[in-house]
Amino acid sequence: MTGRIFRYEVPVDDRWHEITGCSTPLHVDCRDPRVVEFWAWSRDDLPARHYRVYGTGHPIPDDTCYRGTVIAPGGQLVWHLIEQP
């Protein structure tokens, strides 16, 4: 099986988002304050993952995994990409 690196998006909307066929994020970034982006290996045989964006100071459930932090354009907002195992 051949893998590729793809870019994925998670909206900043206080909801969990299912993304299929991706690995753990390799890099996390932000070009639009309404969306957190990440790059990960993509393969059809990988299970679905669930991601959500949290702001600094917001409560985050204990049973989750941190995947990266980004500063939104303008430097006013800081977002944290969290995965629900």
Side-chain angles (χ1 to χ4, degrees):
M1 172 134 320
T2 301
R4 298 180 184 105
I5 295 176
F6 282 169
R7 182 180 66 85
Y8 300 91
E9 294 184 349
V10 180
V12 179
D13 64 1
D14 297 328
R15 292 183 12 214
W16 289 99
H17 295 272
E18 181 178 276
I19 299 178
T20 59
C22 75
S23 70
T24 302
L26 302 169
H27 177 74
V28 181
D29 212 331
C30 182
R31 295 181 286 178
D32 177 333
R34 299 166 295 179
V35 177
V36 170
E37 307 167 274
F38 69 91
W39 286 257
W41 285 103
S42 174
R43 286 198 342 242
D44 292 338
D45 64 329
L46 293 173
R49 292 172 174 258
H50 297 87
Y51 294 99
R52 182 174 169 177
V53 176
Y54 287 86
T56 297
H58 293 193
I60 300 171
D62 288 335
D63 61 341
T64 58
C65 299
Y66 168 82
R67 295 299 181 217
T69 295
V70 297
I71 299 173
Q76 301 274 331
L77 302 170
V78 179
W79 301 128
H80 310 283
L81 182 64
I82 304 297
E83 182 178 2
Q84 185 179 51

